[in-house]
Amino acid sequence: MRLSHFLHCLVAVTTLLATSDTLSAADKAAGKLPLIVAHRGASYAAPENTLAAFKLAWKRGADGIEGDFFLSQDGHLVCIHDADTKRLSGQKLVVNDTPLATLRKLDVGSWKDKKFAGERIPTIAEVFATIPAGKKIFIELKEGAHIVAPLKRAIAKSGLKEDQMVIISFQADAIAEAKRQLPQIRAHWLHSYKKDKTTGKYNNDFEHIVRTLKETKADGLGTKGLPEVVTAQFLDALRQAGMQEFSVWTINDAPTANYFRALNAVAITTDRPGYLRKTLANSTRQRPTP
């Protein structure tokens, strides 16, 4: 084989591998829908962040689930959105200050419906165990960099493949540490937007987003689903600045989901995975006009 031909093949293979490493490339090539990710499980119908919600999400055809994780007092990763248990159980216990055994005594299902009475706060191992082959989990870290080491240990015990996980967090230090300790797992830094009190318009925080993505070495941006901010022009500018991909949350209506699908979101997080999948399957992709 000639050296020039060998180098040409090497470049082609390297390019293919680099492309396949993104969440979006395969779906774009095949013209598939974005990943439908169940927000805290199928939380429209079942109590959020419970095994009932995650199992229902799989039954309703979700491509992935999203769950929130704090550390208990004794170092266990537990699936709950709030820093304390008041909203879900009626009893206020600060998660970081409470051992797992005590947290597990709480009923976090009855608030949604009596039929979910007895649902407990799950550990990350229990959530991992629900994930079918070929499906994904978006792991939202609700704490800073210190939570990454226990997450790494939990992942090592899970039996899941690296491409079945995406780490997400509003905490920039958690994303930076995740890319340091778990560089092979994709990570999206999460960002919302504040409305200017004078103008009533949202600030797109462009420079802050670009700087944070570069500093954390995040693989993408997880953005709040605001079409008035997250426009085609905004995303094109972010891509030119180095952003690889973006995901969006929390979308429960068809028009907004179609809007972000047309802009090539790699994942759309929703409380209603079954509804959104059917809706998108019956509609066409069309990029919004400027």
Side-chain angles (χ1 to χ4, degrees), residues 88-140:
L88 300 183
S89 72
Q91 180 179 353
K92 185 174 181 178
L93 297 175
V94 176
V95 178
N96 286 164
D97 297 338
T98 309
L100 176 63
T102 302
L103 291 172
R104 296 280 279 181
K105 293 178 182 178
L106 301 175
D107 177 347
V108 292
S110 292
W111 69 270
K112 187 74 171 179
D113 192 287
K114 290 181 180 179
K115 67 182 179 181
F116 295 112
E119 282 293 321
R120 306 301 175 188
I121 298 172
T123 64
I124 197 167
E126 290 174 320
V127 178
F128 281 162
T130 73
I131 302 172
K135 301 287 188 175
K136 295 181 183 288
I137 179 171
F138 281 59
I139 304 165
E140 181 171 346

Side-chain angles (χ1 to χ4, degrees), residues 155-265:
I155 288 172
K157 297 177 182 178
S158 71
L160 295 174
K161 296 180 180 179
E162 294 164 354
D163 64 1
Q164 288 184 270
M165 292 171 275
V166 181
I167 297 169
I168 60 176
S169 184
F170 287 97
Q171 309 284 344
D173 61 334
I175 293 298
E177 187 65 14
K179 292 310 299 181
R180 189 184 72 81
Q181 292 199 40
L182 298 161
Q184 70 281 18
I185 295 177
R186 303 195 74 70
H188 289 185
W189 173 63
L190 301 178
H191 184 64
S192 188
Y193 307 90
K194 294 181 179 179
K195 185 178 288 188
D196 188 289
K197 293 181 180 179
T198 303
T199 65
K201 295 181 179 181
Y202 287 98
N203 186 338
N204 69 20
D205 300 329
F206 181 82
E207 292 182 359
H208 173 59
I209 292 172
V210 171
R211 182 172 63 252
T212 305
L213 291 175
K214 289 181 177 179
E215 289 176 350
T216 60
K217 299 181 180 178
D219 299 292
L221 174 69
T223 177
K224 184 173 177 62
L226 296 174
E228 60 267 49
V229 180
V230 187
T231 63
Q233 294 88 341
F234 174 62
L235 291 169
D236 287 343
L238 284 176
R239 291 187 181 100
Q240 290 174 16
M243 182 186 74
Q244 297 180 46
E245 60 196 22
F246 83 100
S247 54
V248 63
W249 48 273
T250 302
I251 309 302
N252 292 322
D253 66 281
T256 308
N258 272 308
Y259 172 86
F260 285 112
R261 176 176 68 161
L263 292 177
N264 290 323

